[in-house]
Amino acid sequence: MLVLVLVLVLVLVLVLVLALALTMAVALLIVGAVQMDAPLMIRPLLAGPTTTPTVADFDRAERLDFDVDSGRMSVLREHSPTGGWVLSNRTVDAPGAVLTGPVDRTKCGRRLGQGASKACSAWLGERGLRQELVYVPSTRFWSLPWREFGIRVAPAGLPVGLAVWRVRRGLS
């Protein structure tokens, strides 16, 4: 009889240990997924980014890339607000699509390099292009860690509150 009780206790302990290990593994996977996704997906949403579309000034373009074979191009004008966190900086056409070309090679030549020639700047200016900058202003950036802290602590508070409630209920 004693052996049967010991076997049952051992089986119960083993089941509890396995359940605890499984719970810890699932929790670790969830925490890992949140840690990996936070910088890429959650942070920009929490930060409340600002979008500022401005008329693109190609005389001050930092980078004009032009692929000779395909005629594709990309334009980037460096503009970062002081202390801000830039999420994206892209040149878009009138309907809002990202500019990829094609380029008029008679105006822009075969190689663009740094900056643009006057003819190329004028040709690009006729296209009605805008520089679309999405950034988090520095005034909102420093509240971001507190928001992330709240998102991580809130789910942890639920099981802690439940445990405290159960312990208090069991003691009285």
PDB file of all heavy atoms in Angstrom, residues 85-124:
ATOM      1  N   TRP A  85      13.254  60.570 -34.349  1.00  0.00           N
ATOM      2  CA  TRP A  85      13.538  59.200 -34.766  1.00  0.00           C
ATOM      3  C   TRP A  85      12.869  58.992 -36.116  1.00  0.00           C
ATOM      4  O   TRP A  85      11.652  58.909 -36.208  1.00  0.00           O
ATOM      5  CB  TRP A  85      13.012  58.233 -33.721  1.00  0.00           C
ATOM      6  CG  TRP A  85      13.103  56.794 -34.056  1.00  0.00           C
ATOM      7  CD1 TRP A  85      14.039  56.177 -34.819  1.00  0.00           C
ATOM      8  CD2 TRP A  85      12.205  55.769 -33.634  1.00  0.00           C
ATOM      9  NE1 TRP A  85      13.803  54.835 -34.890  1.00  0.00           N
ATOM     10  CE2 TRP A  85      12.670  54.563 -34.173  1.00  0.00           C
ATOM     11  CE3 TRP A  85      11.066  55.752 -32.851  1.00  0.00           C
ATOM     12  CZ2 TRP A  85      12.026  53.359 -33.962  1.00  0.00           C
ATOM     13  CZ3 TRP A  85      10.431  54.549 -32.640  1.00  0.00           C
ATOM     14  CH2 TRP A  85      10.921  53.375 -33.192  1.00  0.00           C
ATOM     15  N   VAL A  86      13.654  58.921 -37.181  1.00  0.00           N
ATOM     16  CA  VAL A  86      13.126  58.807 -38.536  1.00  0.00           C
ATOM     17  C   VAL A  86      12.758  57.350 -38.810  1.00  0.00           C
ATOM     18  O   VAL A  86      13.593  56.457 -38.724  1.00  0.00           O
ATOM     19  CB  VAL A  86      14.147  59.314 -39.580  1.00  0.00           C
ATOM     20  CG1 VAL A  86      13.614  59.113 -40.982  1.00  0.00           C
ATOM     21  CG2 VAL A  86      14.471  60.774 -39.338  1.00  0.00           C
ATOM     22  N   LEU A  87      11.474  57.121 -39.146  1.00  0.00           N
ATOM     23  CA  LEU A  87      10.993  55.780 -39.471  1.00  0.00           C
ATOM     24  C   LEU A  87      11.095  55.514 -40.966  1.00  0.00           C
ATOM     25  O   LEU A  87      11.396  54.402 -41.376  1.00  0.00           O
ATOM     26  CB  LEU A  87       9.549  55.605 -39.005  1.00  0.00           C
ATOM     27  CG  LEU A  87       9.327  55.750 -37.500  1.00  0.00           C
ATOM     28  CD1 LEU A  87       7.846  55.704 -37.176  1.00  0.00           C
ATOM     29  CD2 LEU A  87      10.062  54.675 -36.751  1.00  0.00           C
ATOM     30  N   SER A  88      10.784  56.509 -41.784  1.00  0.00           N
ATOM     31  CA  SER A  88      10.961  56.345 -43.227  1.00  0.00           C
ATOM     32  C   SER A  88      11.137  57.708 -43.870  1.00  0.00           C
ATOM     33  O   SER A  88      10.631  58.718 -43.381  1.00  0.00           O
ATOM     34  CB  SER A  88       9.775  55.610 -43.865  1.00  0.00           C
ATOM     35  OG  SER A  88       8.639  56.448 -43.918  1.00  0.00           O
ATOM     36  N   ASN A  89      11.878  57.720 -44.954  1.00  0.00           N
ATOM     37  CA  ASN A  89      12.147  58.934 -45.717  1.00  0.00           C
ATOM     38  C   ASN A  89      12.165  58.513 -47.174  1.00  0.00           C
ATOM     39  O   ASN A  89      13.090  57.842 -47.617  1.00  0.00           O
ATOM     40  CB  ASN A  89      13.485  59.529 -45.290  1.00  0.00           C
ATOM     41  CG  ASN A  89      13.796  60.815 -46.013  1.00  0.00           C
ATOM     42  OD1 ASN A  89      12.998  61.312 -46.798  1.00  0.00           O
ATOM     43  ND2 ASN A  89      14.969  61.357 -45.745  1.00  0.00           N
ATOM     44  N   ARG A  90      11.116  58.864 -47.900  1.00  0.00           N
ATOM     45  CA  ARG A  90      11.026  58.389 -49.277  1.00  0.00           C
ATOM     46  C   ARG A  90      10.435  59.458 -50.175  1.00  0.00           C
ATOM     47  O   ARG A  90       9.729  60.354 -49.721  1.00  0.00           O
ATOM     48  CB  ARG A  90      10.205  57.112 -49.338  1.00  0.00           C
ATOM     49  CG  ARG A  90       8.828  57.275 -48.781  1.00  0.00           C
ATOM     50  CD  ARG A  90       8.152  55.973 -48.553  1.00  0.00           C
ATOM     51  NE  ARG A  90       6.758  56.224 -48.220  1.00  0.00           N
ATOM     52  CZ  ARG A  90       5.807  55.355 -48.318  1.00  0.00           C
ATOM     53  NH1 ARG A  90       6.074  54.148 -48.738  1.00  0.00           N
ATOM     54  NH2 ARG A  90       4.583  55.660 -47.996  1.00  0.00           N
ATOM     55  N   THR A  91      10.732  59.340 -51.452  1.00  0.00           N
ATOM     56  CA  THR A  91      10.200  60.246 -52.459  1.00  0.00           C
ATOM     57  C   THR A  91       9.016  59.572 -53.127  1.00  0.00           C
ATOM     58  O   THR A  91       9.130  58.434 -53.592  1.00  0.00           O
ATOM     59  CB  THR A  91      11.280  60.597 -53.500  1.00  0.00           C
ATOM     60  OG1 THR A  91      12.395  61.148 -52.810  1.00  0.00           O
ATOM     61  CG2 THR A  91      10.769  61.584 -54.507  1.00  0.00           C
ATOM     62  N   VAL A  92       7.876  60.264 -53.154  1.00  0.00           N
ATOM     63  CA  VAL A  92       6.652  59.707 -53.728  1.00  0.00           C
ATOM     64  C   VAL A  92       6.162  60.605 -54.850  1.00  0.00           C
ATOM     65  O   VAL A  92       6.414  61.811 -54.871  1.00  0.00           O
ATOM     66  CB  VAL A  92       5.543  59.535 -52.659  1.00  0.00           C
ATOM     67  CG1 VAL A  92       5.955  58.513 -51.622  1.00  0.00           C
ATOM     68  CG2 VAL A  92       5.201  60.842 -51.997  1.00  0.00           C
ATOM     69  N   ASP A  93       5.438  59.996 -55.798  1.00  0.00           N
ATOM     70  CA  ASP A  93       4.870  60.766 -56.901  1.00  0.00           C
ATOM     71  C   ASP A  93       3.504  61.319 -56.488  1.00  0.00           C
ATOM     72  O   ASP A  93       3.064  61.158 -55.351  1.00  0.00           O
ATOM     73  CB  ASP A  93       4.797  59.919 -58.176  1.00  0.00           C
ATOM     74  CG  ASP A  93       3.967  58.661 -57.995  1.00  0.00           C
ATOM     75  OD1 ASP A  93       3.236  58.555 -56.997  1.00  0.00           O
ATOM     76  OD2 ASP A  93       4.053  57.780 -58.865  1.00  0.00           O
ATOM     77  N   ALA A  94       2.816  61.968 -57.430  1.00  0.00           N
ATOM     78  CA  ALA A  94       1.534  62.619 -57.124  1.00  0.00           C
ATOM     79  C   ALA A  94       0.491  61.660 -56.537  1.00  0.00           C
ATOM     80  O   ALA A  94      -0.181  62.011 -55.572  1.00  0.00           O
ATOM     81  CB  ALA A  94       1.001  63.311 -58.371  1.00  0.00           C
ATOM     82  N   PRO A  95       0.317  60.428 -57.067  1.00  0.00           N
ATOM     83  CA  PRO A  95      -0.660  59.522 -56.460  1.00  0.00           C
ATOM     84  C   PRO A  95      -0.217  58.934 -55.118  1.00  0.00           C
ATOM     85  O   PRO A  95      -1.008  58.322 -54.422  1.00  0.00           O
ATOM     86  CB  PRO A  95      -0.814  58.390 -57.487  1.00  0.00           C
ATOM     87  CG  PRO A  95      -0.244  58.895 -58.750  1.00  0.00           C
ATOM     88  CD  PRO A  95       0.758  59.943 -58.384  1.00  0.00           C
ATOM     89  N   GLY A  96       1.038  59.075 -54.756  1.00  0.00           N
ATOM     90  CA  GLY A  96       1.520  58.569 -53.473  1.00  0.00           C
ATOM     91  C   GLY A  96       2.378  57.328 -53.564  1.00  0.00           C
ATOM     92  O   GLY A  96       2.766  56.779 -52.543  1.00  0.00           O
ATOM     93  N   ALA A  97       2.693  56.871 -54.783  1.00  0.00           N
ATOM     94  CA  ALA A  97       3.549  55.685 -54.942  1.00  0.00           C
ATOM     95  C   ALA A  97       5.020  56.095 -54.826  1.00  0.00           C
ATOM     96  O   ALA A  97       5.405  57.196 -55.228  1.00  0.00           O
ATOM     97  CB  ALA A  97       3.295  55.037 -56.304  1.00  0.00           C
ATOM     98  N   VAL A  98       5.831  55.198 -54.289  1.00  0.00           N
ATOM     99  CA  VAL A  98       7.263  55.472 -54.148  1.00  0.00           C
ATOM    100  C   VAL A  98       7.891  55.593 -55.534  1.00  0.00           C
ATOM    101  O   VAL A  98       7.641  54.777 -56.420  1.00  0.00           O
ATOM    102  CB  VAL A  98       7.953  54.350 -53.336  1.00  0.00           C
ATOM    103  CG1 VAL A  98       9.447  54.582 -53.266  1.00  0.00           C
ATOM    104  CG2 VAL A  98       7.366  54.270 -51.948  1.00  0.00           C
ATOM    105  N   LEU A  99       8.709  56.612 -55.708  1.00  0.00           N
ATOM    106  CA  LEU A  99       9.353  56.873 -57.006  1.00  0.00           C
ATOM    107  C   LEU A  99      10.401  55.811 -57.300  1.00  0.00           C
ATOM    108  O   LEU A  99      11.286  55.552 -56.484  1.00  0.00           O
ATOM    109  CB  LEU A  99      10.033  58.244 -56.983  1.00  0.00           C
ATOM    110  CG  LEU A  99      10.858  58.578 -58.212  1.00  0.00           C
ATOM    111  CD1 LEU A  99       9.949  58.830 -59.398  1.00  0.00           C
ATOM    112  CD2 LEU A  99      11.743  59.765 -57.949  1.00  0.00           C
ATOM    113  N   THR A 100      10.273  55.196 -58.464  1.00  0.00           N
ATOM    114  CA  THR A 100      11.279  54.233 -58.908  1.00  0.00           C
ATOM    115  C   THR A 100      11.726  54.504 -60.340  1.00  0.00           C
ATOM    116  O   THR A 100      12.563  53.794 -60.859  1.00  0.00           O
ATOM    117  CB  THR A 100      10.732  52.789 -58.835  1.00  0.00           C
ATOM    118  OG1 THR A 100       9.557  52.705 -59.627  1.00  0.00           O
ATOM    119  CG2 THR A 100      10.442  52.395 -57.408  1.00  0.00           C
ATOM    120  N   GLY A 101      11.183  55.488 -60.971  1.00  0.00           N
ATOM    121  CA  GLY A 101      11.576  55.805 -62.346  1.00  0.00           C
ATOM    122  C   GLY A 101      10.479  55.434 -63.296  1.00  0.00           C
ATOM    123  O   GLY A 101       9.342  55.254 -62.880  1.00  0.00           O
ATOM    124  N   PRO A 102      10.684  55.349 -64.559  1.00  0.00           N
ATOM    125  CA  PRO A 102      11.959  55.467 -65.270  1.00  0.00           C
ATOM    126  C   PRO A 102      12.424  56.919 -65.371  1.00  0.00           C
ATOM    127  O   PRO A 102      11.680  57.847 -65.110  1.00  0.00           O
ATOM    128  CB  PRO A 102      11.641  54.897 -66.651  1.00  0.00           C
ATOM    129  CG  PRO A 102      10.196  55.174 -66.835  1.00  0.00           C
ATOM    130  CD  PRO A 102       9.575  55.100 -65.477  1.00  0.00           C
ATOM    131  N   VAL A 103      13.649  57.079 -65.799  1.00  0.00           N
ATOM    132  CA  VAL A 103      14.293  58.377 -65.863  1.00  0.00           C
ATOM    133  C   VAL A 103      14.493  58.775 -67.311  1.00  0.00           C
ATOM    134  O   VAL A 103      14.776  57.942 -68.169  1.00  0.00           O
ATOM    135  CB  VAL A 103      15.659  58.297 -65.139  1.00  0.00           C
ATOM    136  CG1 VAL A 103      16.459  59.538 -65.340  1.00  0.00           C
ATOM    137  CG2 VAL A 103      15.451  58.027 -63.684  1.00  0.00           C
ATOM    138  N   ASP A 104      14.348  60.057 -67.584  1.00  0.00           N
ATOM    139  CA  ASP A 104      14.664  60.596 -68.904  1.00  0.00           C
ATOM    140  C   ASP A 104      16.180  60.733 -68.985  1.00  0.00           C
ATOM    141  O   ASP A 104      16.782  61.614 -68.379  1.00  0.00           O
ATOM    142  CB  ASP A 104      13.986  61.955 -69.094  1.00  0.00           C
ATOM    143  CG  ASP A 104      14.219  62.535 -70.472  1.00  0.00           C
ATOM    144  OD1 ASP A 104      14.968  61.921 -71.270  1.00  0.00           O
ATOM    145  OD2 ASP A 104      13.650  63.600 -70.746  1.00  0.00           O
ATOM    146  N   ARG A 105      16.803  59.847 -69.727  1.00  0.00           N
ATOM    147  CA  ARG A 105      18.271  59.829 -69.781  1.00  0.00           C
ATOM    148  C   ARG A 105      18.839  61.025 -70.531  1.00  0.00           C
ATOM    149  O   ARG A 105      19.997  61.369 -70.336  1.00  0.00           O
ATOM    150  CB  ARG A 105      18.748  58.533 -70.430  1.00  0.00           C
ATOM    151  CG  ARG A 105      18.439  57.335 -69.572  1.00  0.00           C
ATOM    152  CD  ARG A 105      18.957  56.074 -70.200  1.00  0.00           C
ATOM    153  NE  ARG A 105      18.495  54.935 -69.405  1.00  0.00           N
ATOM    154  CZ  ARG A 105      18.795  53.712 -69.682  1.00  0.00           C
ATOM    155  NH1 ARG A 105      19.549  53.419 -70.725  1.00  0.00           N
ATOM    156  NH2 ARG A 105      18.354  52.730 -68.934  1.00  0.00           N
ATOM    157  N   THR A 106      18.038  61.666 -71.365  1.00  0.00           N
ATOM    158  CA  THR A 106      18.535  62.864 -72.057  1.00  0.00           C
ATOM    159  C   THR A 106      18.703  64.022 -71.076  1.00  0.00           C
ATOM    160  O   THR A 106      19.563  64.864 -71.259  1.00  0.00           O
ATOM    161  CB  THR A 106      17.575  63.283 -73.182  1.00  0.00           C
ATOM    162  OG1 THR A 106      16.303  63.597 -72.619  1.00  0.00           O
ATOM    163  CG2 THR A 106      17.450  62.194 -74.227  1.00  0.00           C
ATOM    164  N   LYS A 107      17.896  64.051 -70.028  1.00  0.00           N
ATOM    165  CA  LYS A 107      17.984  65.138 -69.043  1.00  0.00           C
ATOM    166  C   LYS A 107      18.928  64.769 -67.891  1.00  0.00           C
ATOM    167  O   LYS A 107      19.669  65.605 -67.404  1.00  0.00           O
ATOM    168  CB  LYS A 107      16.599  65.422 -68.451  1.00  0.00           C
ATOM    169  CG  LYS A 107      15.561  65.747 -69.483  1.00  0.00           C
ATOM    170  CD  LYS A 107      15.382  67.213 -69.558  1.00  0.00           C
ATOM    171  CE  LYS A 107      14.252  67.624 -70.343  1.00  0.00           C
ATOM    172  NZ  LYS A 107      13.680  67.774 -71.351  1.00  0.00           N
ATOM    173  N   CYS A 108      18.843  63.530 -67.463  1.00  0.00           N
ATOM    174  CA  CYS A 108      19.594  63.138 -66.264  1.00  0.00           C
ATOM    175  C   CYS A 108      20.898  62.413 -66.582  1.00  0.00           C
ATOM    176  O   CYS A 108      21.667  62.133 -65.666  1.00  0.00           O
ATOM    177  CB  CYS A 108      18.722  62.256 -65.365  1.00  0.00           C
ATOM    178  SG  CYS A 108      17.347  63.163 -64.645  1.00  0.00           S
ATOM    179  N   GLY A 109      21.139  62.084 -67.831  1.00  0.00           N
ATOM    180  CA  GLY A 109      22.390  61.437 -68.180  1.00  0.00           C
ATOM    181  C   GLY A 109      22.415  59.979 -67.776  1.00  0.00           C
ATOM    182  O   GLY A 109      21.416  59.410 -67.375  1.00  0.00           O
ATOM    183  N   ARG A 110      23.590  59.380 -67.890  1.00  0.00           N
ATOM    184  CA  ARG A 110      23.711  57.965 -67.575  1.00  0.00           C
ATOM    185  C   ARG A 110      24.088  57.739 -66.114  1.00  0.00           C
ATOM    186  O   ARG A 110      23.842  56.696 -65.563  1.00  0.00           O
ATOM    187  CB  ARG A 110      24.741  57.317 -68.490  1.00  0.00           C
ATOM    188  CG  ARG A 110      24.245  57.244 -69.920  1.00  0.00           C
ATOM    189  CD  ARG A 110      25.169  56.472 -70.837  1.00  0.00           C
ATOM    190  NE  ARG A 110      25.441  55.113 -70.433  1.00  0.00           N
ATOM    191  CZ  ARG A 110      24.641  54.063 -70.623  1.00  0.00           C
ATOM    192  NH1 ARG A 110      23.482  54.225 -71.190  1.00  0.00           N
ATOM    193  NH2 ARG A 110      25.001  52.858 -70.250  1.00  0.00           N
ATOM    194  N   ARG A 111      24.736  58.698 -65.492  1.00  0.00           N
ATOM    195  CA  ARG A 111      25.123  58.538 -64.083  1.00  0.00           C
ATOM    196  C   ARG A 111      24.677  59.766 -63.313  1.00  0.00           C
ATOM    197  O   ARG A 111      24.952  60.881 -63.722  1.00  0.00           O
ATOM    198  CB  ARG A 111      26.639  58.396 -63.958  1.00  0.00           C
ATOM    199  CG  ARG A 111      27.152  57.075 -64.498  1.00  0.00           C
ATOM    200  CD  ARG A 111      28.611  56.887 -64.174  1.00  0.00           C
ATOM    201  NE  ARG A 111      28.780  56.826 -62.736  1.00  0.00           N
ATOM    202  CZ  ARG A 111      29.835  57.336 -62.091  1.00  0.00           C
ATOM    203  NH1 ARG A 111      30.787  57.916 -62.744  1.00  0.00           N
ATOM    204  NH2 ARG A 111      29.927  57.253 -60.792  1.00  0.00           N
ATOM    205  N   LEU A 112      24.009  59.526 -62.193  1.00  0.00           N
ATOM    206  CA  LEU A 112      23.547  60.654 -61.388  1.00  0.00           C
ATOM    207  C   LEU A 112      24.526  60.985 -60.271  1.00  0.00           C
ATOM    208  O   LEU A 112      24.878  62.123 -60.082  1.00  0.00           O
ATOM    209  CB  LEU A 112      22.168  60.355 -60.802  1.00  0.00           C
ATOM    210  CG  LEU A 112      21.053  60.240 -61.839  1.00  0.00           C
ATOM    211  CD1 LEU A 112      19.765  59.852 -61.157  1.00  0.00           C
ATOM    212  CD2 LEU A 112      20.869  61.527 -62.570  1.00  0.00           C
ATOM    213  N   GLY A 113      24.941  59.985 -59.541  1.00  0.00           N
ATOM    214  CA  GLY A 113      25.876  60.223 -58.447  1.00  0.00           C
ATOM    215  C   GLY A 113      25.286  61.115 -57.375  1.00  0.00           C
ATOM    216  O   GLY A 113      24.112  61.073 -57.086  1.00  0.00           O
ATOM    217  N   GLN A 114      26.114  61.982 -56.798  1.00  0.00           N
ATOM    218  CA  GLN A 114      25.659  62.897 -55.747  1.00  0.00           C
ATOM    219  C   GLN A 114      25.034  64.131 -56.392  1.00  0.00           C
ATOM    220  O   GLN A 114      25.593  64.720 -57.294  1.00  0.00           O
ATOM    221  CB  GLN A 114      26.838  63.334 -54.864  1.00  0.00           C
ATOM    222  CG  GLN A 114      27.449  62.238 -54.062  1.00  0.00           C
ATOM    223  CD  GLN A 114      26.536  61.802 -52.919  1.00  0.00           C
ATOM    224  OE1 GLN A 114      25.651  62.530 -52.516  1.00  0.00           O
ATOM    225  NE2 GLN A 114      26.764  60.605 -52.430  1.00  0.00           N
ATOM    226  N   GLY A 115      23.862  64.515 -55.895  1.00  0.00           N
ATOM    227  CA  GLY A 115      23.203  65.698 -56.424  1.00  0.00           C
ATOM    228  C   GLY A 115      22.654  65.452 -57.813  1.00  0.00           C
ATOM    229  O   GLY A 115      22.679  64.360 -58.339  1.00  0.00           O
ATOM    230  N   ALA A 116      22.106  66.473 -58.404  1.00  0.00           N
ATOM    231  CA  ALA A 116      21.526  66.338 -59.736  1.00  0.00           C
ATOM    232  C   ALA A 116      21.898  67.562 -60.547  1.00  0.00           C
ATOM    233  O   ALA A 116      22.098  68.647 -60.011  1.00  0.00           O
ATOM    234  CB  ALA A 116      20.013  66.212 -59.636  1.00  0.00           C
ATOM    235  N   SER A 117      21.982  67.375 -61.863  1.00  0.00           N
ATOM    236  CA  SER A 117      22.240  68.518 -62.727  1.00  0.00           C
ATOM    237  C   SER A 117      21.003  69.401 -62.751  1.00  0.00           C
ATOM    238  O   SER A 117      19.922  69.003 -62.335  1.00  0.00           O
ATOM    239  CB  SER A 117      22.585  68.029 -64.133  1.00  0.00           C
ATOM    240  OG  SER A 117      21.428  67.436 -64.711  1.00  0.00           O
ATOM    241  N   LYS A 118      21.142  70.627 -63.238  1.00  0.00           N
ATOM    242  CA  LYS A 118      20.002  71.552 -63.298  1.00  0.00           C
ATOM    243  C   LYS A 118      18.897  70.994 -64.179  1.00  0.00           C
ATOM    244  O   LYS A 118      17.722  71.076 -63.835  1.00  0.00           O
ATOM    245  CB  LYS A 118      20.461  72.922 -63.829  1.00  0.00           C
ATOM    246  CG  LYS A 118      21.397  73.644 -62.914  1.00  0.00           C
ATOM    247  CD  LYS A 118      20.665  74.164 -61.719  1.00  0.00           C
ATOM    248  CE  LYS A 118      21.621  74.937 -60.845  1.00  0.00           C
ATOM    249  NZ  LYS A 118      21.056  75.278 -59.578  1.00  0.00           N
ATOM    250  N   ALA A 119      19.256  70.402 -65.322  1.00  0.00           N
ATOM    251  CA  ALA A 119      18.241  69.849 -66.233  1.00  0.00           C
ATOM    252  C   ALA A 119      17.512  68.683 -65.564  1.00  0.00           C
ATOM    253  O   ALA A 119      16.287  68.554 -65.676  1.00  0.00           O
ATOM    254  CB  ALA A 119      18.889  69.395 -67.538  1.00  0.00           C
ATOM    255  N   CYS A 120      18.246  67.854 -64.874  1.00  0.00           N
ATOM    256  CA  CYS A 120      17.643  66.710 -64.196  1.00  0.00           C
ATOM    257  C   CYS A 120      16.759  67.189 -63.047  1.00  0.00           C
ATOM    258  O   CYS A 120      15.652  66.683 -62.855  1.00  0.00           O
ATOM    259  CB  CYS A 120      18.727  65.774 -63.688  1.00  0.00           C
ATOM    260  SG  CYS A 120      18.096  64.222 -63.015  1.00  0.00           S
ATOM    261  N   SER A 121      17.221  68.172 -62.279  1.00  0.00           N
ATOM    262  CA  SER A 121      16.411  68.720 -61.186  1.00  0.00           C
ATOM    263  C   SER A 121      15.118  69.317 -61.721  1.00  0.00           C
ATOM    264  O   SER A 121      14.053  69.136 -61.131  1.00  0.00           O
ATOM    265  CB  SER A 121      17.184  69.796 -60.423  1.00  0.00           C
ATOM    266  OG  SER A 121      18.264  69.241 -59.743  1.00  0.00           O
ATOM    267  N   ALA A 122      15.206  70.027 -62.830  1.00  0.00           N
ATOM    268  CA  ALA A 122      14.003  70.619 -63.420  1.00  0.00           C
ATOM    269  C   ALA A 122      13.046  69.528 -63.894  1.00  0.00           C
ATOM    270  O   ALA A 122      11.829  69.619 -63.693  1.00  0.00           O
ATOM    271  CB  ALA A 122      14.387  71.540 -64.572  1.00  0.00           C
ATOM    272  N   TRP A 123      13.590  68.486 -64.540  1.00  0.00           N
ATOM    273  CA  TRP A 123      12.742  67.393 -65.036  1.00  0.00           C
ATOM    274  C   TRP A 123      12.052  66.675 -63.884  1.00  0.00           C
ATOM    275  O   TRP A 123      10.867  66.363 -63.946  1.00  0.00           O
ATOM    276  CB  TRP A 123      13.588  66.419 -65.860  1.00  0.00           C
ATOM    277  CG  TRP A 123      12.810  65.285 -66.405  1.00  0.00           C
ATOM    278  CD1 TRP A 123      12.022  65.282 -67.511  1.00  0.00           C
ATOM    279  CD2 TRP A 123      12.715  63.963 -65.846  1.00  0.00           C
ATOM    280  NE1 TRP A 123      11.444  64.053 -67.689  1.00  0.00           N
ATOM    281  CE2 TRP A 123      11.849  63.226 -66.675  1.00  0.00           C
ATOM    282  CE3 TRP A 123      13.265  63.343 -64.742  1.00  0.00           C
ATOM    283  CZ2 TRP A 123      11.536  61.899 -66.430  1.00  0.00           C
ATOM    284  CZ3 TRP A 123      12.955  62.029 -64.498  1.00  0.00           C
ATOM    285  CH2 TRP A 123      12.099  61.321 -65.336  1.00  0.00           C
ATOM    286  N   LEU A 124      12.804  66.409 -62.817  1.00  0.00           N
ATOM    287  CA  LEU A 124      12.213  65.763 -61.643  1.00  0.00           C
ATOM    288  C   LEU A 124      11.183  66.677 -60.978  1.00  0.00           C
ATOM    289  O   LEU A 124      10.149  66.208 -60.500  1.00  0.00           O
ATOM    290  CB  LEU A 124      13.304  65.381 -60.649  1.00  0.00           C
ATOM    291  CG  LEU A 124      14.201  64.216 -61.062  1.00  0.00           C
ATOM    292  CD1 LEU A 124      15.393  64.124 -60.134  1.00  0.00           C
ATOM    293  CD2 LEU A 124      13.431  62.921 -61.100  1.00  0.00           C
TER     294      LEU A 124
END
